């Protein structure tokens, strides 16, 4: 079983609420989840009130509610609520919250179970169990609540057309800020309270939250149970989202709470078959790996129509969360671990890109290039550029196309799907290869790529960024290989460019410089960012062993200025392991990943708060947690996917951090079969065992 966070027994004001998701709906459920929480719906888009551009939108909070004891309401008397505990069960994606509410001499004890269904992923489920310590008048309320979010009601219905009896408790159509899209929502409740239950719905106030209340003369020997079945659907998924939400909520109620809960647990059991096990490492490292694995898989689903964002579907009003844009982090860091453990979810991420190829083609044309240039920050509706206007240099940050192309290539290698190669991967590889060909400049040094902003996000563009040139070479090589398999004529041209792409090597000291203007005497985070190392891993650009070692040693010697920053910090342990320094590998993982973990739910922050204590608490940041999982699954094991047989994918000696004995995964999906990965420290290479 995976290791879940310890139960939270005391809530602290600096905590951000627990994040639950199934890839279509994301929730933050507060310590008293009936009265505090937010919801994000995959693909729901609005005009961001600060940047004035397209970004994600909050949906109505689907599992709100209230409690009333002898006329005293929880919502009006929050200080009379006493938090007891909250448990986040990573094995099944369930959150259990317990609190007490006192009214006079009476105390109501409440347990709330919340989950986002994976078998019916547009649905959220919640069960509220209440007991009292003395006879009282008890009212339990379920709410579907847009209070506090920007937008307006377009429709609020508590009846069902062509039916005398409402099928749903209520449905709504909510228009987001800027009218870019709408969110449909519907809910159904079930209540078990014995005899004499009085049911009431808010039917007349057209601007009031949808609510259903159940009143009962409660007694201490009984328990009162409210079940909520709620569906949220964006207009990008259905042109009448409120009606589709009503259908889905109805389906959920018909299938029943326990059946959906069992299905959700079964789906998570299948996901956890791919758990990355760190044998010999102390339990803390296994807990960190399990948390990363949970948050990654919670944020993606085979039904996700709009990919996922840098924070999955997480949001809290303390930070902008990069407006929910789809960026290079997804294909570079989140996609590789998903590819082998949940390939259907990984394919959904690629489908988002494929369905927006016209936007990438138009984007390239606007910059004067051919082929496909995917936007740096992709808006969810059309996949067009949505990056903020306040940072004009970011229009030069164009390496996202290289990550997208490599992801499509890796998918073909992992699955062996020839139809997918012809129909989906090839148009992307061909388009990005043609973009590179139009982007390079021929010179006496070979082919150069001028005016780019790399991973370090320099304030001014540079020429021949090492990562960009190395990644471009790898993409051209993949495209050429597929061209030959498909009988296309471009292979020789692309290989000619790839073989002559200029690599800025410092000949005197023998390391790969980050870019042409790189000066090792400079200081600061941008200079210390090991961009060239990202070309070695995860891009796997081949270099001579002595050049690899000297480049790793050079950048690790100054990584103390960089570590604690996002993305590449999580990979530093791999680089140390590749030069055989096990102690340093463990230390770099500590500073480059473990220091990013936030209490109480083991979410991965964007920055290390030990290094940057003034940064906001946010998470789970997909680049960091995906980078750590990728380090364990690919980097330390030497796993590199290719057209060869899977047994040949393990290509390097296994060197693990100090104390770690092996990395094992019992179930990976390879070429349509399940497989087992075993990487033991000191072995010449890891092994992949295909199951019969």
């Amino acid at each position: 079983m995976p290791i879940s966070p310890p139960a939270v027994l005391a809530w602290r004001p600096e905590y951000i609420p627990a994040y639950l998701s199934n890839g279509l709906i994301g929730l933050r459920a507060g310590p008293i989840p009936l009265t505090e929480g937010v919801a994000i719906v995959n693909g729901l888009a609005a005009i961001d009130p600060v940047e004035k551009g397209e970004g994600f939108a909050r949906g109505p909070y689907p599992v709100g509610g209230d409690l009333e004891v002898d006329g005293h309401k929880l919502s009006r008397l929050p200080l009379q609520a006493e938090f007891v505990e909250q448990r986040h069960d990573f094995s099944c994606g369930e959150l259990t919250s317990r609190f007490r509410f006192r009214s006079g001499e009476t105390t109501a004890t409440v347990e709330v179970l919340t989950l986002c269904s994976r078998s019916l992923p547009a649905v959220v489920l919640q069960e509220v169990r209440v007991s009292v310590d003395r006879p009282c008048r008890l009212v339990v309320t379920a709410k579907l609540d847009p209070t506090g979010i920007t937008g307006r009601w377009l429709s609020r219905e508590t009846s069902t057309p062509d039916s005398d009896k409402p099928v749903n408790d209520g449905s709504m159509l909510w228009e987001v800020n800027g009218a870019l899209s709408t969110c449909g929502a519907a809910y159904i409740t079930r209540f078990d309270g014995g005899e004499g239950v009085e049911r009431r719905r808010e039917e007349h106030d057209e601007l009031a939250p949808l609510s259903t209340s159940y009143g009962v003369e409660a007694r201490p020997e009984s328990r009162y149970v409210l079940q909520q079945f709620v569906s949220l659907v964006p207009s990008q998924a259905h042109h009448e989202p409120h009606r589709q939400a009503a259908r889905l909520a109805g389906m959920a109620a018909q299938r029943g709470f326990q059946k959906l809960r069992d299905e959700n647990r079964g789906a998570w059991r299948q996901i956890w078959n791919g758990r990355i096990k760190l044998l010999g490492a102390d339990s803390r490292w296994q807990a960190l790996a399990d948390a990363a694995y949970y948050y990654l898989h919670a944020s993606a689903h085979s039904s996700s129509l709009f990919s996922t964002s840098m924070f999955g579907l997480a949001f809290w009003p303390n930070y902008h969360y990069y407006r929910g844009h789809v960026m290079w982090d997804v294909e570079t860091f989140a996609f590789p671990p998903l590819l082998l453990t949940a390939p259907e979810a990984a394919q959904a991420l690629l489908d988002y890109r494929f369905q927006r190829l016209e936007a990438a083609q138009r984007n390239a044309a606007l910059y004067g290039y051919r082929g496909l240039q995917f936007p740096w920050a992709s808006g969810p509706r059309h996949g067009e550029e949505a990056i903020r206007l306040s940072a004009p240099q970011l229009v030069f940050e164009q390496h996202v196309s290289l990550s997208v192309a490599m992801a499509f290539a890796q998918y073909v290698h992992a699955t062996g799907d020839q139809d997918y190669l012809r129909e989906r991967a090839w148009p992307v590889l061909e388009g990005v290869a043609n973009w590179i060909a139009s982007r390079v400049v021929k010179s006496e040094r070979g082919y150069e790529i001028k005016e780019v902003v790399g991973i370090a996000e320099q304030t001014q563009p540079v020429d021949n960024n090492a990562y960009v040139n190395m990644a471009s070479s790898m993409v051209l090589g993949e495209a050429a290989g597929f061209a030959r398999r498909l009988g296309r004529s471009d292979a020789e041209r692309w290989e000619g460019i790839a073989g002559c792409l200029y690599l800025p090597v410092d000949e005197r000291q023998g390391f790969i410089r980050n870019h042409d203007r790189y000066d090792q005497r400079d200081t600061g985070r941008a200079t210390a960012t090991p961009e060239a190392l990202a070309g070695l891993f995860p891009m796997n650009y081949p270099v001579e062993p002595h050049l690899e070692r000297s480049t790793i040693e050079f950048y690790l010697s100054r990584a103390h200025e960089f570590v604690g920053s996002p993305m590449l910090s999580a990979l530093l342990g791999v680089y140390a392991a590749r030069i055989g320094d096990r102690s340093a590998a463990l230390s770099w993982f500590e500073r480059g990943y473990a220091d990013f973990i936030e209490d109480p739910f083991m979410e991965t922050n964007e920055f290390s708060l030990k290094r940057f204590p003034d940064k906001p608490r946010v998470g789970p940041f997909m680049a960091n947690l995906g980078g750590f999982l990728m380090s364990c699954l690919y980097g330390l094991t030497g796993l590199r996917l290719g057209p060869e047989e899977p047994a040949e994918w393990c290509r390097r000696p296994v060197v693990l951090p100090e104390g770690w004995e092996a990395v094992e995964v019992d179930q990976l999906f390879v070429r349509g079969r399940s497989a087992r990965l075993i990487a033991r420290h000191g072995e010449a290479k890891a092994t992949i065992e295909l199951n019969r």
Side-chain angles (χ1 to χ4, degrees):
M1 295 294 290
I3 301 173
S4 298
V8 183
L9 303 178
W11 191 262
R12 299 172 60 177
E14 67 267 25
Y15 290 164
I16 54 176
Y19 165 59
L20 299 167
S21 181
N22 57 15
L24 273 70
I25 299 171
L27 300 180
R28 289 277 191 198
I32 311 293
L34 300 183
T35 58
E36 184 179 26
V38 302
I40 294 293
V41 183
N42 186 232
L44 189 65
I47 294 296
D48 183 83
V50 176
E51 291 187 358
K52 311 302 181 185
E54 180 180 327
F56 62 6
R58 283 175 58 182
Y61 185 55
V63 287
D66 208 347
L67 195 69
E68 182 179 327
V69 176
D70 289 334
H72 298 132
K73 287 188 175 183
L74 169 67
S75 58
R76 294 177 181 171
L77 300 167
L79 296 181
Q80 291 181 206
E82 177 191 0
F83 175 81
V84 176
E85 72 169 14
Q86 201 167 52
R87 292 181 180 272
H88 201 162
D89 189 345
F90 286 171
S91 73
C92 55
E94 295 180 356
L95 182 73
T96 302
S97 311
R98 294 183 177 89
F99 66 93
R100 300 186 188 98
F101 177 60
R102 290 190 173 88
S103 173
E105 298 298 317
T106 304
T107 298
T109 300
V110 186
E111 179 177 291
V112 184
L113 173 68
T114 312
L115 63 104
C116 298
S117 171
R118 289 199 74 87
S119 61
L120 200 56
V123 168
V124 176
L125 306 172
Q126 184 162 278
E127 185 175 77
V128 182
R129 293 178 172 266
V130 186
S131 60
V132 296
D133 63 354
R134 64 185 61 214
C136 65
R137 177 65 177 177
L138 174 68
V139 181
V140 185
T141 300
K143 290 183 179 181
L144 180 53
D145 194 355
T147 301
I149 64 176
T150 55
R152 66 188 181 109
W153 294 88
L154 293 184
S155 173
R156 183 186 187 279
E157 296 181 350
T158 54
S159 61
T160 300
D162 197 32
S163 176
D164 294 333
K165 183 179 180 180
V167 175
N168 291 267
D169 285 33
S171 67
M172 61 182 293
L173 184 62
W174 180 262
E175 183 181 77
V176 303
N177 185 51
L180 295 189
S181 60
T182 58
C183 182
Y187 78 112
I188 294 175
T189 58
R190 298 282 187 265
F191 186 75
D192 181 4
E195 297 180 356
V197 175
E198 297 178 6
R199 182 175 184 267
R200 181 180 181 276
R201 292 185 302 146
E202 180 54 73
E203 300 181 18
H204 304 294
D205 187 344
E206 294 184 352
L207 297 180
L210 290 164
S211 66
T212 304
S213 297
Y214 294 89
V216 64
E217 298 300 324
R219 305 191 64 81
E221 63 269 18
S222 299
R223 177 170 287 190
Y224 304 91
V225 181
L226 171 69
Q227 294 179 339
Q228 298 163 261
F229 306 84
V230 195
S231 178
L232 300 177
V233 177
S235 54
Q236 290 90 320
H238 196 283
H239 77 286
E240 292 183 323
H242 57 312
R243 295 184 178 273
Q244 184 67 1
R247 297 181 185 103
L248 291 167
M251 174 181 281
Q254 290 234 347
R255 292 169 75 172
F257 191 94
Q258 192 58 49
K259 180 176 176 59
L260 287 171
R261 186 185 184 190
D262 290 343
E263 290 175 352
N264 184 70
R265 289 188 162 203
W268 274 107
R269 276 195 296 272
Q270 288 297 316
I271 289 171
W272 281 111
N273 286 336
R275 182 191 191 201
I276 300 171
K277 295 183 291 186
L278 308 179
L279 305 186
D282 64 45
S283 60
R284 183 177 65 106
W285 281 110
Q286 187 62 61
L288 295 182
D290 288 349
Y293 191 88
Y294 168 74
Y295 285 120
L296 176 65
H297 286 79
S299 301
H301 194 283
S302 59
S303 295
S304 299
L305 301 178
F306 305 95
S307 189
T308 194
S309 82
M310 298 168 71
F311 292 89
L313 300 182
F315 174 75
W316 194 243
N318 68 327
Y319 194 55
H320 53 67
Y321 283 77
Y322 291 93
R323 278 75 189 181
H325 297 146
V326 180
M327 303 182 75
W328 82 296
D329 311 59
V330 173
E331 285 81 17
T332 306
F333 301 100
F335 175 83
L338 284 172
L339 174 58
L340 296 180
T341 59
E344 294 88 356
Q347 182 182 339
L349 304 183
L350 300 185
D351 286 347
Y352 170 85
R353 296 293 193 180
F354 182 80
Q355 291 161 6
R356 289 155 179 80
L357 291 188
E358 287 188 11
Q361 186 177 34
R362 292 194 301 268
N363 192 48
L366 288 173
Y367 287 99
Y369 307 129
R370 293 186 296 108
L372 301 174
Q373 180 180 321
F374 290 91
W376 181 241
S378 176
R381 293 184 307 154
H382 309 300
E384 296 173 338
E385 183 63 78
I387 194 63
R388 65 187 188 276
L389 300 179
S390 58
Q393 78 275 11
L394 292 182
V395 298
F396 294 96
E397 195 156 5
Q398 300 166 356
H399 56 83
V400 58
S401 296
L402 309 175
S403 295
V404 173
M406 285 299 293
F408 275 88
Q410 295 302 291
Y411 183 86
V412 174
H413 293 324
T415 65
D417 190 333
Q418 296 300 305
D419 291 336
Y420 192 90
L421 167 59
R422 287 188 297 269
E423 297 167 10
R424 301 235 162 178
W426 173 250
V428 175
L429 269 294
E430 180 186 37
V432 175
N434 283 333
W435 173 78
I436 297 170
S438 71
R439 188 71 174 80
V440 298
V441 176
K442 188 85 163 63
S443 76
E444 61 183 14
R445 299 195 295 187
Y447 288 99
E448 303 186 46
I449 300 179
K450 307 262 189 176
E451 292 188 311
V452 297
V453 168
I455 300 171
E457 296 192 340
Q458 299 89 356
T459 55
Q460 295 296 324
V462 299
D463 294 342
N464 295 311
N465 178 274
Y467 170 78
V468 172
N469 286 21
M470 295 159 87
S472 295
S473 177
M474 296 303 293
V475 169
L476 289 171
E478 292 283 6
F482 290 134
R484 286 199 163 85
R485 285 168 64 174
L486 296 174
R488 305 297 178 113
S489 59
D490 291 305
E492 187 174 338
R493 177 170 64 96
W494 292 336
E495 286 175 339
I497 298 173
C500 295
L501 264 170
Y502 175 70
L503 190 62
V505 175
D506 186 301
E507 300 296 345
R508 185 172 62 85
Q509 290 187 256
F511 71 94
I512 302 171
R513 301 161 63 212
N514 276 345
H515 53 80
D516 268 359
R517 290 193 288 105
Y518 185 78
D519 189 339
Q520 58 185 294
R521 294 170 297 180
D522 292 341
T523 59
R525 193 180 74 183
T527 301
T529 302
E531 295 179 279
L533 296 187
L536 301 177
F537 175 77
M539 273 297 174
N540 295 307
Y541 182 87
V543 298
E544 294 295 326
H546 70 277
L547 181 57
E548 176 184 88
R549 185 178 189 89
S550 62
T551 302
I552 290 174
E553 289 176 340
F554 175 81
Y555 288 103
L556 287 186
S557 71
R558 47 186 8 197
H560 63 278
E561 296 181 68
F562 168 79
V563 69
S565 299
M567 295 176 288
L568 300 189
S569 287
L571 310 182
L572 293 173
V574 171
Y575 306 133
R578 290 196 170 180
I579 59 173
D581 194 337
R582 301 185 70 192
S583 176
L586 187 64
S587 175
W588 284 120
F589 277 136
E590 188 74 43
R591 299 168 62 194
Y593 187 68
D595 284 355
F596 288 71
I597 304 304
E598 286 294 312
D599 289 333
F601 299 113
M602 300 178 69
E603 290 191 30
T604 308
N605 210 317
E606 182 182 5
F607 288 86
S608 164
L609 290 188
K610 288 189 177 180
R611 179 79 192 281
F612 301 101
D614 295 331
K615 294 287 186 180
R617 296 174 181 267
V618 293
F621 192 65
M622 293 294 138
N624 291 341
L625 66 86
F628 179 65
L629 293 175
M630 186 171 61
S631 291
C632 296
L633 183 59
Y634 292 86
L636 295 175
T637 66
L639 181 64
R640 178 159 61 88
L641 309 187
E644 311 86 359
E645 289 299 312
E648 301 178 47
W649 289 351
C650 300
R651 307 166 190 261
R652 303 179 67 101
V654 180
V655 180
L656 302 182
E658 191 170 58
W660 297 18
E661 298 170 2
V663 175
E664 292 187 4
V665 183
D666 289 334
Q667 180 177 281
L668 298 176
F669 294 97
V670 174
R671 304 277 171 88
R673 298 164 64 182
S674 65
R676 186 165 184 255
L677 173 68
I678 306 169
R680 294 189 176 91
H681 173 72
E683 292 190 343
K685 63 177 184 176
T687 59
I688 294 178
E689 300 174 351
L690 291 175
N691 296 325
R692 296 183 178 180

